[in-house]
Amino acid sequence: MHKQLLLAMNFLAIIPARYASTRFPGKPLVSILGKPMIQWVYERTSAHFADTWVATDDKRIFEAVTSFGGRVVMTSDSHKSGTDRIAEALETIERLSGAKYDVVINVQGDEPLIATDHLSTIASLFDDDSTQIGTLVKPFAADEDIFNPNTPKVVLSADNRALYFSRSVIPYIRGAESCDWQSRHTYYKHIGMYAYRADVLRQITRLPQSSLELAESLEQLRWLENGYTVRVGITNVETVSIDTPEDLEKLNQSLK
């Protein structure tokens, strides 16, 4: 029954893409083996979800997506988050296509090698009709730094709901040296892919910023603080994000 429900659901994948970036301006258009990064993301995503669109506020990105045959919509340049851009794009896409979508997947536009496992895992979370929002985590490898504040950590419930997201290391292991914590507990790092039921997406973008969100600078805490359920899928497949020109150079070298 659950599998039939999942197959009957109408999924929409949206890739938000901004030209402006403090650390890497024009990132969606950088070349990876002769193709712009946004094309890599689009092609991998559209191979899994028939309805895939790019949402952008920049005409250069719009024209690039159109040139390789992708579907793209323009959005406002005043959005404070990718979630807000996704919500606007949903309304535009439904108006243009005449379709109605049950679940919207927010795909990160700076992961050119996005894994099929990530796409299928996050979609499968909606096999459970109680799932309002979905996201992904991966166990930290033994050689990864759990104390890096740029890598948010996630604490899970027994049934894989997110209890909290933090830039700090949680939980604190009492009575053990911090260097031994990873051997005493499985820590999960957040992989920034989200999926939302369409009605929930419309609701959460109307919420004001919350105190926890402002404290940690993590948008997902607004949802938890307002009582929404975030279901978590666990993957063992690593993601490759391009945040700086150095990241791009490493990727190009590895692909060559």
Side-chain angles (χ1 to χ4, degrees):
M1 179 176 179
H2 285 312
K3 289 182 178 179
Q4 291 175 346
L5 176 63
L6 182 60
L7 289 172
M9 296 189 75
N10 205 5
F11 286 90
L12 170 65
I14 303 179
I15 308 165
R18 294 172 61 249
Y19 190 90
S21 171
T22 303
R23 289 191 290 177
F24 201 170
K27 183 167 61 171
L29 300 182
V30 297
S31 178
I32 301 173
L33 298 186
K35 290 194 301 188
M37 180 161 64
I38 191 64
Q39 184 174 353
W40 284 76
V41 181
Y42 185 93
E43 289 176 349
R44 284 176 173 255
T45 304
S46 60
H48 194 84
F49 295 110
D51 290 334
T52 296
W53 292 69
V54 173
T56 185
D57 60 359
D58 190 273
K59 289 183 178 179
R60 289 163 290 189
I61 296 174
F62 185 96
E63 290 169 358
V65 175
T66 301
S67 70
F68 65 72
R71 290 181 288 186
V72 57
V73 292
M74 288 291 293
T75 59
S76 168
D77 61 1
S78 62
H79 290 307
K80 294 182 179 180
S81 71
T83 307
D84 292 333
R85 193 177 309 283
I86 290 288
E88 182 192 350
L90 169 63
E91 304 304 325
T92 303
I93 293 165
E94 286 193 333
R95 185 176 69 252
L96 291 173
S97 67
K100 291 295 180 183
Y101 295 96
D102 302 299
V103 175
V104 181
I105 313 290
N106 181 346
V107 179
Q108 298 299 305
D110 60 1
E111 297 181 8
L113 302 183
I114 187 168
T116 299
D117 177 80
H118 293 175
L119 298 170
S120 60
T121 297
I122 202 165
S124 71
L125 297 175
F126 292 86
D127 193 16
D128 184 335
D129 59 13
S130 70
T131 300
Q132 295 178 304
I133 302 169
T135 195
L136 301 177
V137 298
K138 180 183 180 297
F140 274 90
D143 61 348
E144 289 184 294
D145 180 15
I146 62 173
F147 296 94
N148 181 355
N150 294 319
T151 306
K153 273 63 68 174
V154 191
V155 173
L156 308 181
S157 68
D159 61 348
N160 286 356
R161 286 178 296 108
L163 295 176
Y164 195 71
F165 297 80
S166 183
R167 296 185 183 280
S168 297
V169 182
I170 51 173
Y172 177 93
I173 307 296
R174 186 177 181 182
E177 295 293 332
S178 58
C179 59
D180 296 327
W181 286 6
Q182 278 176 275
S183 65
R184 300 277 296 272
H185 180 80
T186 299
Y187 287 89
Y188 292 102
K189 67 177 178 180
H190 186 221
I191 294 177
M193 181 186 291
Y194 297 105
Y196 331 79
R197 292 198 187 273
D199 59 334
V200 171
L201 174 61
R202 294 181 174 102
Q203 293 167 21
I204 62 177
T205 51
R206 292 195 292 265
L207 295 171
Q209 286 188 299
S210 71
S211 59
L212 291 176
E213 174 189 7
L214 291 170
E216 297 245 26
S217 191
L218 294 173
E219 180 189 17
Q220 57 270 39
L221 292 176
R222 184 193 316 181
W223 314 333
L224 291 184
E225 199 167 354
N226 282 277
Y228 287 90
T229 297
V230 180
R231 187 75 61 183
V232 177
I234 300 174
T235 179
N236 289 305
V237 178
E238 189 56 85
T239 183
V240 179
S241 297
I242 305 300
D243 295 319
T244 65
E246 291 74 23
D247 293 336
L248 176 65
E249 178 61 26
K250 289 178 184 177
L251 177 62
N252 272 315
Q253 290 300 322
S254 67
L255 289 174
K256 289 176 182 177

